[in-house]
Amino acid sequence: MSAMKKKTTETEAIPQAKTQPQDFEHAVAELEGIVVAMESGQMNLQESLSNYKRGMELLQYCQTTLENSQQQIKIFEADMLKNFTVTDSQ
């Protein structure tokens, strides 16, 4: 029975928040924690499924955040290219 209790305690350390992460870095940290916990093999099936679902939500959040950042960089670069004028140094 104590082994069962230990399993539950180890997996309870993973927050199962269903809210958006505070930011990209927090999402990555939570995702890394889920991966470590799942790789430990100490979760039952329901816990694994729940953590997998949360991991997929976090992954989607991270991918969207990165895509949005890439778009911003392209816009910044486009503005820089428009404003850049070549001067003849000779």
Side-chain angles (χ1 to χ4, degrees), residues 46-57:
Q46 188 58 42
E47 291 170 329
S48 293
L49 290 173
S50 177
N51 280 285
Y52 179 82
K53 180 181 178 194
R54 179 62 178 164
M56 292 304 293
E57 292 169 354

Side-chain angles (χ1 to χ4, degrees), residues 1 7 17 29 34 50 62 64 67 70 73 82 88 90:
M1 189 73 163
K7 279 185 176 181
I34 289 171
S50 177
C62 290
T64 300
E67 288 169 5
Q70 288 174 334
I73 289 169
K82 288 179 187 174
D88 190 13
Q90 292 181 14

Side-chain angles (χ1 to χ4, degrees), residues 21 27 30-31 34 54-63:
E30 185 179 346
L31 188 55
I34 289 171
R54 179 62 178 164
M56 292 304 293
E57 292 169 354
L58 291 167
L59 179 62
Q60 181 63 45
Y61 173 86
C62 290
Q63 288 175 333

